[in-house]
Every structure is written in C-alpha cells, then in structure tokens.
Amino acid sequence: MPAWPSGWTPGFSRAAAAVQTVSDSSIRAPFGGVVAERFVHVGDYVHADTRVVTLLVDDPLRLELTVPEANVGSVRPGLAVSFESVAVPGRVFTAAVKYMGGEIRSATRDLVVEAVTDNGDHALLPGMFVTAQLPVGEVTLPVVPQKAVVDRDGNDTLFTVVDGRLEMRVVQLGPKVGDLVAIADGVKKGDQVVVSPPQGAVDGALVE
C-alpha cells in the first residue's frame, strides 16, 4: 500500500477539492443589488472577463434632472425635490439634490443635477421616467401657444419676427397650461412670435 504523507488523507483531499469547486462556481458582487439581466446559463463555462449579469442598485436611487440656466442659482445640494411616476399613480416621492454638474450644456442651456431618494419599499425601478418639481421661487414668464414651438435637431425652437424677417431662437420651456407653454429663456414679453410656422421656415427669411 502507498504511504500517505503525514497529516494528509485521501478523504480530506476530496472534501477540500469539493469545497474549492463550490467556491470557484460562485460569483459575488462587491455590493448589493437586483439582477436586471442574465447573460449565462447553468453549465456555461465563464472566464474572468465574461459578462454574467447586469446588476442594479435600487435603494437608494439617483434621480437625474435638468435645470434651465435661468434657475441654476436657486439649486443647491440638499434642496428638496418632489416627483411622481405614472407607474405609481397618486403617490408623491421626495428626494434631495446631491450632485450638480460643472457646466451649462451649450445645446440645451441647462444644468444636469442628480437627487437621491430612498426606495426601501422598491416601488420605483431603475430607468423609470418621472415628473419632478424643484422649488426655485416665483418668476413671471412669457407664454406662447404650444403650436409655436417646433423641434429642430433635438432643440425646442420658435420663430420671432424682427425687422420684417424670421429669427429662429432656441428656447427653454417652462410649465404648460392648456394650449400654452411658458418660456423660461429665449424670448421676452412683447416679442412677436410665429404660431404654427411652416415646415420650410428658416432663420432670416423675409416675412410677407
């Protein structure tokens, strides 16, 4: 019979190998979350760089908001935010601003901020769209018919008439009331606005 090394037995080796096998087949994330999508199945062989699952943190959640340039001065870390989701009708959630972007986006003239909300009951899901309200004080804004606002290359624009010619302006929209929409930035009281501009309207065109 073979002589086993001192302190080692075949039974112990098989047990240790079984424990090692179980350990090697387990994958643990460094944080808690929920599995959104799985990319492997039982029996699949995975490598260190194999994509296994998409893991999402759902408590707390980060709420991404955009604040018009005109209201940036009223936003600060800790500011309370209320918001609602069509997926949870009749319920108002709260969050607090925690992160603020470092610059105004040139294309949309707004600032990206993030608020954090508790989601202990998991009523909200990552990726949901919500309608949020930030208290930024009261201000009087000009309003125009919603038909005056058109989308041009992803920007909200409208046409004004200046010295007999069209002038296209990128605008920041405010609250909507019925068929009217407030303009937070881009026009002022007294500007002559074109309602339902023709599709071929261009900046500088002569108004007849």
Side-chain angles (χ1 to χ4, degrees), residues 83-161:
F83 65 95
E84 299 178 69
S85 170
V86 294
V88 192
R91 181 172 174 182
V92 178
F93 299 88
T94 59
V97 173
K98 189 170 183 179
Y99 308 100
M100 298 182 62
E103 64 177 355
I104 300 295
R105 298 190 297 180
S106 59
T108 53
R109 307 309 302 170
D110 57 17
L111 179 73
V112 176
V113 303
E114 289 188 354
V116 177
T117 181
D118 293 329
N119 190 38
D121 61 356
H122 307 288
L124 300 170
L125 295 176
M128 279 184 172
F129 284 94
V130 300
T131 302
Q133 295 183 348
L134 287 82
V136 294
E138 294 184 359
V139 63
T140 301
L141 299 175
V143 297
V144 301
Q146 291 193 39
K147 292 181 179 180
V149 180
V150 295
D151 181 275
R152 292 292 176 90
D153 298 325
N155 297 320
D156 292 315
T157 66
L158 54 72
F159 287 92
T160 60
V161 179

Side-chain angles (χ1 to χ4, degrees), residues 9-202:
T9 64
F12 177 81
S13 176
R14 288 193 294 271
V19 170
Q20 185 64 45
T21 299
V22 172
S23 177
D24 290 343
S25 64
S26 299
I27 300 175
R28 296 184 179 275
F31 57 89
V34 294
V35 174
E37 189 173 1
R38 188 175 66 177
F39 301 98
V40 296
H41 302 279
V42 176
D44 289 350
Y45 186 81
V46 299
H47 301 276
D49 60 349
T50 300
R51 187 179 184 185
V52 178
V53 297
T54 297
L55 189 64
L56 302 177
V57 176
D58 67 342
D59 182 32
L61 286 176
R62 292 168 66 169
L63 180 67
E64 184 176 295
L65 308 168
T66 56
V67 180
E69 182 178 6
N71 302 121
V72 167
S74 302
V75 180
R76 63 190 183 281
L79 182 68
V81 179
S82 61
F83 65 95
E84 299 178 69
S85 170
V86 294
V88 192
R91 181 172 174 182
V92 178
F93 299 88
T94 59
V97 173
K98 189 170 183 179
Y99 308 100
M100 298 182 62
E103 64 177 355
I104 300 295
R105 298 190 297 180
S106 59
T108 53
R109 307 309 302 170
D110 57 17
L111 179 73
V112 176
V113 303
E114 289 188 354
V116 177
T117 181
D118 293 329
N119 190 38
D121 61 356
H122 307 288
L124 300 170
L125 295 176
M128 279 184 172
F129 284 94
V130 300
T131 302
Q133 295 183 348
L134 287 82
V136 294
E138 294 184 359
V139 63
T140 301
L141 299 175
V143 297
V144 301
Q146 291 193 39
K147 292 181 179 180
V149 180
V150 295
D151 181 275
R152 292 292 176 90
D153 298 325
N155 297 320
D156 292 315
T157 66
L158 54 72
F159 287 92
T160 60
V161 179
V162 180
D163 297 330
R165 293 184 178 275
L166 293 180
E167 184 176 287
M168 186 176 70
R169 301 184 186 180
V170 176
V171 295
Q172 287 288 336
L173 301 185
K176 297 179 180 179
V177 180
D179 295 330
L180 302 176
V181 58
I183 305 298
D185 187 41
V187 296
K188 62 183 184 297
K189 182 179 178 180
D191 285 343
Q192 187 176 358
V193 175
V194 178
V195 179
S196 301
Q199 187 173 3
V202 295

